Amino acid sequence: MPDREHDHTLTDDVRLIRVLVRPDWITNKGGRERAASFVFLDGLTHEVSCYIDSVEARDALRGRYPNMQVAVITVAAAMRSGHVVARDDDGGEGIPGHVVLVQVDAEQESKDHIRKTKQLAAESTLEPL
Amino acid sequence: MIAAVSTGPILEKTKPFVSQTASTSLFASAALFESAPWLNEALSRVHELEQAGQDYPGVGDLRVPAATGTATRILLSNIDLPVLPKTNFSVASGGAIVLSFNTAQREAEFTIFPSGAVVLNLLQGGELTNDAELLPSDQRQVKNAVLWALGRL
């Protein structure tokens, strides 16, 4: 896994989207739908794919994953929960704006790691793709 | 309702067989299925997750590695209880299995990584009350977490 560095050109309010590819990636807490607590977790690479929100990215993602919803977070939320947001143009399967979230404040696979993952999911909102 | 269920007689009945035969693993397995009738269905769910996992290009690889499945089976085999709370299985990117046991107010959630590491979260009313790092073979912690979700601890 390459070392990832936060892209400081991304301002706090930049929106990031993650496609919710399974029904159980959506949960309902207190009457509000949001991403399940583990949506921003990767158990193997520990890098989570997201896209900078744009018309182009959504069009491309819709073509591949029709009728899905996306979890929306901001760069600021990702950073608050201990993640860096690194650009990864090669990893997006040709879809523009691919970034990876990498947890850097907590040891991988630790309880702190899970806490921060949950924190980020709790801050997400849902939108149709 | 839960308190009325007892495993005592079943365990007493199976113990002599386990201690008197050379082929202990087979009898131990049979005893486990007898004392935990939900286990067969739970193991089937793990098998389904292993078979149905997909790679979602540009999103994440949700195929479940054999190591995650094995760790999950070990964890499940350590819950020798006759009844369970509602059980949910989910898969995260990178093939981690998220296994949760829910009652109305309490939830015990295990995140099982392909490395075999497990993180346990205990939630009450949706709020995290305790968490721990453990191994799938940590029988006491695994069982106690499920008992807690059942309101018996």
Side-chain angles (χ1 to χ4, degrees):
Chain A
M1 187 175 71
D3 282 340
R4 301 291 193 182
E5 290 191 3
H6 184 72
D7 183 344
H8 292 280
T9 67
L10 297 170
T11 55
D12 285 356
D13 59 347
V14 168
R15 286 160 49 99
L16 306 175
I17 57 175
R18 177 151 172 80
V19 184
L20 303 171
V21 290
R22 284 174 54 105
D24 61 3
W25 279 27
I26 299 170
T27 187
N28 191 318
K29 298 285 185 188
R32 174 181 163 250
E33 277 198 332
R34 66 167 176 79
S37 61
F38 52 84
V39 159
F40 295 98
L41 176 72
D42 187 286
L44 201 59
T45 67
H46 306 305
E47 295 189 345
V48 175
S49 282
C50 292
Y51 294 86
I52 297 169
D53 196 4
S54 70
V55 173
E56 295 77 14
R58 285 188 180 238
D59 283 347
L61 286 166
R62 256 196 311 273
R64 193 164 295 184
Y65 301 109
N67 305 315
M68 298 281 181
Q69 295 192 76
V70 289
V72 183
I73 56 168
T74 62
V75 168
M79 293 174 70
R80 273 197 301 276
S81 57
H83 295 86
V84 298
V85 183
R87 283 192 192 265
D88 181 40
D89 292 333
D90 296 335
E93 302 286 326
I95 298 167
H98 184 249
V99 297
V100 291
L101 308 186
V102 184
Q103 176 56 241
V104 292
D105 279 0
E107 186 182 343
Q108 304 293 355
E109 304 183 10
S110 67
K111 58 186 184 181
D112 285 343
H113 182 192
I114 298 297
R115 280 184 194 181
K116 289 175 179 293
T117 301
K118 287 178 181 291
Q119 178 188 336
L120 184 54
E123 290 199 49
S124 69
T125 56
L126 260 55
E127 291 180 6
L129 175 56
Chain B
M1 180 178 71
I2 291 164
V5 178
S6 169
T7 60
I10 293 168
L11 291 175
E12 284 169 17
K13 187 173 67 179
T14 58
K15 273 179 184 169
F17 291 104
V18 173
S19 62
Q20 290 173 9
T21 176
S23 180
T24 56
S25 63
L26 188 61
F27 283 105
S29 299
L32 188 56
F33 279 109
E34 194 175 348
S35 63
W38 50 267
L39 184 58
N40 196 31
E41 184 181 338
L43 295 178
S44 295
R45 288 285 294 124
V46 176
H47 182 70
E48 284 171 20
L49 292 176
E50 289 176 317
Q51 299 302 307
Q54 274 185 260
D55 184 18
Y56 294 89
V59 177
D61 189 349
L62 274 66
R63 291 172 294 188
V64 176
T68 317
T70 299
T72 305
R73 289 183 181 92
I74 292 169
L75 189 147
L76 288 166
S77 71
N78 280 313
I79 309 169
D80 58 338
L81 295 170
V83 291
L84 285 185
K86 184 184 173 201
T87 309
N88 291 307
F89 292 83
S90 301
V91 179
S93 285
I97 288 179
V98 181
L99 172 61
S100 66
F101 301 94
N102 305 281
T103 54
Q105 281 298 310
R106 291 184 171 186
E107 178 177 3
E109 180 186 273
F110 297 91
T111 304
I112 304 153
F113 290 92
S115 67
V118 178
V119 174
L120 165 65
N121 280 203
L122 300 180
L123 301 104
Q124 186 147 19
E127 297 295 321
L128 183 67
T129 62
N130 202 354
D131 54 5
E133 296 157 17
L134 57 148
L135 296 172
S137 55
D138 285 340
Q139 183 175 24
R140 187 180 58 82
Q141 279 188 284
V142 170
K143 184 175 177 179
N144 282 350
V146 180
L147 285 170
W148 181 86
L150 278 166
R152 291 170 66 181
L153 278 184

